[in-house]
Amino acid sequence: MSFFRTLARPMLASSFVIAGVDKLQNADDTAQQLSPLLRKAAASLPFKSDEKTLARVIGGTQVGAGVLFGLGKFSRLSATLLTVISLLNTFVEWRSADISSKEGRENRRNQFLKNLSLSGGALLASVDTAGKPGLAWRAEHLAADARRNASHLAADARKTTNKKLHKADKVVRRAVEQATGA
């Protein structure tokens, strides 16, 4: 891991970890804030769950993904989870912000931009391959190598077949010559 990744990942992850711990400590407030979304999510799950439990799951996921990302473990997966949670938070905070005063509207805009920036950073991190080829590149090159190997195998098979046919032709000609007495 490069020096900048070593430095930047914990910096980016710290905000998510602290927000996740806050969600865990204040699960009632989180459930109330996320209530419309959590109600729909709880209704669509195949098992019985309440909004407070889902709020804790979101907070725990945010803490876990933030810690993993900060440590550089499963960084693309954890950054993807953080992106999804960050976009969810951005939407919920935008909807629930106080806009009755000019300061409230400015605060709403500033929070929106901050959350959007964090989402963008997490999104960039989710596609960062740390200088290693990504899965798409590996699959593309694996297919190209397979085509090249198949082409070489086909060429070798043609050569071998042609040699065998040439030898068989010689044997048949000799047999015909011996049979005809020539």
Side-chain angles (χ1 to χ4, degrees):
M1 193 173 357
S2 76
F3 171 74
F4 292 109
R5 281 186 185 91
T6 303
L7 184 63
R9 281 188 177 145
M11 290 171 63
L12 181 59
S14 64
S15 176
F16 292 107
V17 172
I18 290 170
V21 168
D22 185 51
K23 279 183 180 62
L24 287 171
Q25 289 175 340
N26 303 310
D28 291 329
D29 295 338
T30 303
Q32 183 182 7
Q33 194 177 31
L34 297 174
S35 182
L37 294 173
L38 293 180
R39 213 173 301 122
K40 289 179 185 177
S44 66
L45 291 174
F47 51 87
K48 184 78 174 151
S49 181
D50 63 338
E51 295 169 7
K52 190 173 179 180
T53 302
L54 289 175
R56 285 186 177 137
V57 167
I58 290 172
T61 301
Q62 192 168 355
V63 170
V67 168
L68 286 173
F69 180 71
L71 295 173
K73 304 295 181 193
F74 305 106
S75 56
R76 291 176 74 188
L77 175 64
S78 56
T80 301
L81 287 172
L82 292 174
T83 301
V84 170
I85 291 171
S86 180
L87 289 172
L88 173 70
N89 290 339
T90 300
F91 174 73
V92 169
E93 286 182 18
W94 174 262
R95 271 193 36 197
S96 63
D98 175 32
I99 57 171
S100 60
S101 66
K102 183 178 181 183
E103 292 84 23
R105 288 188 296 275
E106 285 178 8
N107 188 34
R108 178 185 180 189
R109 186 192 68 220
N110 291 339
Q111 282 297 105
F112 175 75
L113 292 174
K114 178 199 68 123
N115 288 337
L116 201 60
S117 298
L118 283 172
S119 298
L123 184 61
L124 276 174
S126 72
V127 296
D128 178 31
T129 60
K132 298 175 187 165
L135 292 177
W137 184 91
R138 290 177 189 185
E140 181 181 320
H141 281 77
L142 182 64
D145 289 345
R147 281 191 300 271
R148 193 171 29 255
N149 288 340
S151 175
H152 291 311
L153 288 173
D156 289 345
R158 277 192 300 274
K159 285 180 187 177
T160 303
T161 303
N162 286 339
K163 284 181 183 177
K164 297 292 181 183
L165 285 174
H166 184 69
K167 283 182 181 180
D169 187 45
K170 281 184 179 179
V171 168
V172 169
R173 284 184 190 191
R174 281 190 199 143
V176 168
E177 288 175 0
Q178 286 177 354
T180 59

